[in-house]
Amino acid sequence: MNIQNPNGERDYIPIADHGLIGNLRTAALVSLDGSIESYCVPNFDSPSIFARILDKNKGGHFSITPTVPFTTKHNYLPSSNVLQTKFLNEKGVVSVTDFLPRLENSESTRPLLFWLIRRVEVVRGTVPLRVECAPAFNYARDPHATQIVPDDTIPLQFSKQNKVVFTSRPAASPYLPKGTSPSHSPLTLDLRFLPESLLENVPVPELSLETLNLSAKGHLGLAAKTELTLVEGQRVTFVLRIAPEHKGDGGSGVDEEQAELLGIDYQKLMAGAHKMRPKDDPVMTSELLDHLFVATNNYWNSWIRKSTYQGSWKEAVHRSALALKLLIYEPTGAIVASPTFSLPEYIGGTRNWDYRASWIRDSSFTLYALIRLGFTQEANAYMDFIFERLKNKNPDGSLQIMYTIHGGKDLEEIELLHLDGHKGSKPVRIGNGAADHVQLDIYGELMDCIYLGQKFGKPLSYDTWVLVRELVDFVVANYKKPDLSIWEVRGKERHFTYSKIMLWVAIDRGLRLADKRSLPCPRRLQWFAARDDLYEEIMHKAWNKDLRVFGQSYEETDVLDSSVLIMPLVFFMTPSDTRFVSTLKEILKTPERGGLTSNNLVYRYDVNKSDDGVGGEEGTFCLCTLWCVEALTRAGEYERPLLQRAVAMFEDFLLYLNHVGLCSEEISESGEALGNAVQGFTHVTLISAAYNLSRTLANQRSI
């Protein structure tokens, strides 16, 4: 067992050793040793207040850890995104339950509380603990003031209890250029707690919060800490929130003893006082905290129960669906590619990107997976988000490849040179400079998503069809042009094979939509001609006769790229076509033999053969591995050994999911998770691969 000693200097926790919690506005990474490592408030793309995963000293954290050696367990509650961490040693066991509250669907009239709730409960013996809350505002750039003040939001039996208030001071930031004003307002957080006894004859635990000076590690304001020893039956709940601007009354002004003397039922009195407070600042009672826990758990349980999936690997599929749900920004329907930023694709490397935006490509694939599982409400919400973007196309008729979760186009890329990066992987980046890239493949993914949405979601109106039609017209006018394609290379534009395939998909789905819905299509003949011309062009210009493979681009047909595995997945080519099977088998070779597959994991391409303008190394790409599984599945319908290889590759891949079933973007040669976590694209392709592999195996058995 991996025994952790809390007395040593804490190093970086591996990317895989984290769980994710969220509330469809933002999300937080929770490490295996009980620390909030990444948390942006109030939204996914807001500046971080905790980013310890990117700088172990000054990134900011909220940790709850035993002060004695311990082992640890991490798990989600069944069918839920409520996360539980257990610390165990011979003398005791303590459970930390973390969640961001959600309302049950029946409670839609109540406001969503933007609280981070951490419930600490000893379930056996005695455990000494240390709690530290050390926010680092605005990506650890803004200093803050820390005050310990009386807590006016708790029942009067805890009237002497204090809370900690952290207030950022952006105008005093040492990183603010001289003579300029900050672009954001100060942010105020408060940390509160509620101690409880759950057993008779067990006293309510006593604790108090103190300030902690971490300036020696680079912090720009005082943190808060407490040390406490809890016994079986004792529970303390910590709540961190954005402090409300108004101040409510702490209660009734009467404590329990006074209520008894007056002959008043104290519980009813407190309930009345509770109703008088603003709904977004209720009295923090144990009943309220219990209700928030139950309501949040019920929300996730009832959502996943709507899944129609009945195939194999159901547990992995449903965990992936729950992970994808955490990536949805509910107010607009947008979907982030990942809730984290700047986690490295190679330890010590420079490929560190911010994925907290809504890529058309990633979102479209996400919707495909959710629709496959029966979640059409999310599909309709995202389609509404996209159709709004179609109304505001660029002057040339194009779309951006990504938007902010609010629908904006400005994603300026900035390097945060003061942060060390995960395990020294610099630079740390926020924003994304690829936002204005020309990536023509996005039109194929989007049109495929719209087409699938028409089969299972809300039908297109005529006005929306006109917008979609204009999109296909743009594709027909531009399919001959080069681009930077799916991998967002930062070098020269090329005629990438993947982009050409997806441009074909865009035109094909436009034609199918017009046909199936009998929609008017004045340029139908031009669309047919462009689709056929594009198909012939790919077959001639992307095909390498000598190597018998489809190359990465027209310019470099000798470079393998696993993105071409998409061909049968989007019905561009039958999986039994000899050209495709030959390409697939070449990709399945090891890199030493000219292929892209190592230990049943697949690389995107050989970074030493293809200049992508970024430099540095990278791991195997989870998306590509799962595309390979699906390609093998489809080809395996005609060549049985390939189906067996698909099963083996998929089962192997599942071993690389972390301890709570989540997956990152890449996997290193040594099996270490790399890149941003949780990566939506990975969980999307896992669902799709499981869906098609399970269905194919079932069909094979019935023959």
Side-chain angles (χ1 to χ4, degrees):
M1 294 184 78
N2 183 20
I3 299 176
Q4 300 192 39
N5 189 339
N7 299 319
E9 184 70 20
R10 185 186 186 277
D11 204 348
Y12 288 101
I13 301 295
I15 293 171
D17 288 353
H18 293 82
L20 188 74
I21 56 174
N23 62 358
L24 309 190
R25 300 294 192 283
T26 188
L29 278 183
V30 186
S31 68
L32 199 53
D33 68 344
S35 175
I36 305 292
E37 299 278 280
S38 177
Y39 184 42
C40 300
V41 292
N43 301 322
F44 289 111
D45 58 354
S46 300
S48 65
I49 57 169
F50 302 132
R52 194 186 210 176
I53 199 168
L54 294 172
D55 193 311
K56 64 180 181 180
N57 291 322
K58 60 181 178 291
H61 63 275
F62 184 0
S63 60
I64 300 174
T65 314
T67 57
V68 293
F70 61 90
T71 58
T72 183
K73 302 288 184 186
H74 224 176
N75 66 280
Y76 282 109
L77 298 188
S79 303
S80 176
N81 279 321
V82 173
L83 188 67
Q84 187 177 67
T85 310
K86 279 191 176 178
F87 301 116
L88 309 92
N89 69 15
E90 291 179 354
K91 294 185 178 179
V93 176
V94 63
S95 168
V96 180
T97 304
D98 292 310
F99 63 99
L100 298 175
R102 284 291 307 176
L103 300 172
E104 291 188 73
N105 294 329
S106 60
E107 297 182 305
S108 56
T109 56
R110 300 179 63 165
L112 184 65
L113 295 177
F114 297 96
W115 296 3
L116 168 61
I117 299 178
R118 313 200 70 189
R119 307 192 82 172
V120 186
E121 181 181 341
V122 170
V123 293
R124 177 179 66 78
T126 303
V127 183
L129 296 159
R130 180 180 174 90
V131 180
E132 289 185 10
C133 184
F137 291 87
N138 189 25
Y139 307 108
R141 292 184 294 187
D142 290 356
H144 66 267
T146 304
Q147 293 177 288
I148 297 181
V149 300
D151 190 352
D152 66 344
T153 64
I154 54 172
L156 282 175
Q157 65 257 46
F158 304 112
S159 58
K160 294 180 182 179
Q161 190 169 297
N162 292 331
K163 66 178 179 179
V164 182
V165 179
F166 306 98
T167 304
S168 71
R169 297 163 53 225
S173 173
Y175 303 100
L176 186 68
K178 287 185 179 180
T180 61
S181 299
S183 58
H184 57 283
S185 302
L187 178 66
T188 300
L189 306 173
D190 66 20
L191 174 65
R192 304 171 294 157
F193 63 91
L194 187 73
E196 299 173 78
S197 170
L198 306 178
L199 296 174
E200 290 184 14
N201 303 321
V202 173
V204 173
E206 294 184 8
L207 66 146
S208 62
L209 295 168
E210 306 169 4
T211 57
L212 172 67
N213 190 343
L214 296 174
S215 59
K217 292 193 171 186
H219 281 255
L220 301 177
L222 294 176
K225 68 150 190 165
T226 186
E227 293 195 1
L228 63 158
T229 298
L230 298 181
V231 301
E232 181 183 348
Q234 290 183 329
R235 179 166 74 190
V236 180
T237 303
F238 294 92
V239 176
L240 182 72
R241 63 171 181 172
I242 297 177
E245 294 180 4
H246 53 77
K247 288 192 175 181
D249 180 7
S252 64
V254 179
D255 63 22
E256 195 163 2
E257 190 175 328
Q258 290 171 316
E260 191 174 334
L261 289 171
L262 294 169
I264 302 171
D265 186 304
Y266 181 70
Q267 294 301 326
K268 289 182 179 178
L269 187 68
M270 285 305 301
H274 183 96
K275 290 177 182 178
M276 291 166 58
R277 292 179 65 88
K279 287 189 175 182
D280 63 346
D281 186 24
V283 176
M284 193 173 75
T285 63
S286 59
E287 291 78 15
L288 173 64
L289 293 172
D290 285 342
H291 173 76
L292 291 174
F293 169 73
V294 171
T296 302
N297 205 42
N298 286 348
Y299 172 83
W300 295 115
N301 289 172
S302 61
W303 183 79
I304 198 62
R305 275 200 298 268
K306 296 173 187 173
S307 168
T308 57
Y309 185 75
Q310 297 298 326
S312 305
W313 304 288
K314 193 171 185 178
E315 186 175 344
V317 167
H318 279 179
R319 177 48 54 197
S320 288
L322 283 161
L324 290 177
K325 180 68 170 175
L326 284 174
L327 307 187
I328 294 174
Y329 182 65
E330 190 176 49
T332 63
I335 303 168
V336 294
S338 174
T340 59
F341 63 99
S342 220
L343 293 176
E345 296 180 12
Y346 192 84
I347 299 299
T350 60
R351 296 168 181 258
N352 319 314
W353 314 110
D354 186 350
Y355 283 178
R356 297 170 302 156
S358 186
W359 268 255
I360 286 179
R361 177 190 306 113
D362 299 47
S363 302
S364 297
F365 277 120
T366 300
L367 263 294
Y368 168 84
L370 291 176
I371 286 172
R372 280 285 181 224
L373 302 182
F375 297 110
T376 54
Q377 182 180 342
E378 289 74 14
N380 290 333
Y382 176 69
M383 294 319 314
D384 288 343
F385 174 79
I386 279 297
F387 292 147
E388 282 300 312
R389 308 290 78 76
L390 293 185
K391 294 174 185 176
N392 186 27
K393 293 194 284 281
N394 296 327
D396 64 352
S398 66
L399 292 174
Q400 282 204 176
I401 66 165
M402 69 181 89
Y403 295 88
T404 71
I405 55 175
H406 315 283
K409 295 184 178 182
D410 183 16
L411 292 103
E412 179 189 4
E413 185 170 294
I414 299 170
E415 294 184 356
L416 302 179
L417 301 179
H418 65 290
L419 293 176
D420 289 340
H422 182 74
K423 296 185 178 180
S425 305
K426 294 183 177 182
V428 171
R429 295 183 179 93
I430 55 173
N432 202 299
D436 58 357
H437 275 191
V438 177
Q439 296 177 19
L440 297 174
D441 64 286
I442 65 167
Y443 301 101
E445 287 110 0
L446 179 56
M447 286 300 300
D448 200 29
C449 183
I450 293 172
Y451 176 72
L452 194 65
Q454 285 306 286
K455 294 175 78 173
F456 300 101
K458 190 165 60 179
L460 283 178
S461 67
Y462 171 75
D463 290 331
T464 305
W465 164 246
V466 171
L467 294 172
V468 171
R469 199 169 66 187
E470 289 171 356
L471 212 58
V472 181
D473 285 338
F474 174 83
V475 169
V476 170
N478 290 275
Y479 74 88
K480 294 280 188 183
K481 293 181 178 178
D483 74 336
L484 297 170
S485 202
I486 183 174
W487 304 136
E488 298 181 349
V489 300
R490 301 207 170 185
K492 61 184 179 182
E493 292 183 353
R494 279 166 274 181
H495 294 275
F496 285 97
T497 306
Y498 177 85
S499 289
K500 300 301 181 182
I501 295 165
M502 297 313 292
L503 286 166
W504 178 91
V505 169
I507 304 170
D508 178 73
R509 299 313 189 262
L511 286 165
R512 291 190 192 207
L513 264 176
D515 243 15
K516 291 186 180 298
R517 293 284 314 280
S518 302
L519 293 164
C521 187
R523 303 189 69 238
R524 189 187 304 262
L525 294 180
Q526 289 96 319
W527 290 11
F528 269 119
R531 186 186 67 170
D532 293 349
D533 179 53
L534 193 46
Y535 197 106
E536 293 284 4
E537 182 183 281
I538 294 167
M539 301 307 282
H540 287 92
K541 293 186 177 181
W543 177 248
N544 186 313
K545 293 180 182 177
D546 299 327
L547 298 177
R548 297 199 56 76
V549 297
F550 287 104
Q552 183 182 61
S553 64
Y554 293 174
E555 294 84 353
E556 294 177 310
T557 59
D558 60 328
V559 175
L560 271 181
D561 189 317
S562 56
S563 65
V564 302
L565 294 170
I566 201 75
M567 286 180 167
L569 280 57
V570 294
F571 306 108
F572 173 82
M573 174 179 277
T574 173
S576 61
D577 190 292
T578 53
R579 289 192 180 195
F580 177 75
V581 173
S582 175
T583 303
L584 173 60
K585 289 181 176 178
E586 198 65 26
I587 288 172
L588 286 170
K589 292 180 180 178
T590 62
E592 293 77 15
R593 297 182 60 223
L596 295 174
T597 305
S598 175
N599 189 31
N600 259 353
L601 300 170
V602 182
Y603 288 94
R604 295 191 295 179
Y605 48 85
D606 187 336
V607 294
N608 298 310
K609 290 182 180 178
S610 179
D611 178 21
D612 56 15
V614 180
E617 299 291 322
E618 66 177 19
T620 58
F621 227 69
C622 298
L623 162 71
C624 299
T625 301
L626 292 162
W627 271 350
C628 192
V629 169
E630 196 163 344
L632 284 165
T633 300
R634 293 174 187 263
E637 293 185 52
Y638 306 94
E639 199 172 324
R640 192 64 181 263
L642 294 181
L643 184 60
Q644 294 166 351
R645 179 71 187 269
V647 174
M649 183 176 273
F650 189 62
E651 290 282 2
D652 271 7
F653 179 81
L654 293 179
L655 298 175
Y656 294 97
L657 299 179
N658 77 353
H659 54 288
V660 288
L662 302 179
C663 196
S664 62
E665 185 178 15
E666 300 183 18
I667 298 168
S668 73
E669 289 182 336
S670 62
E672 184 178 5
L674 297 171
N676 282 305
V678 169
Q679 179 71 10
F681 231 154
T682 303
H683 288 284
V684 164
T685 43
L686 186 152
I687 291 170
S688 183
Y691 180 91
N692 286 294
L693 182 55
S694 182
R695 184 176 60 178
T696 302
L697 289 170
N699 291 340
Q700 292 277 336
R701 293 189 195 103
S702 63
I703 294 174

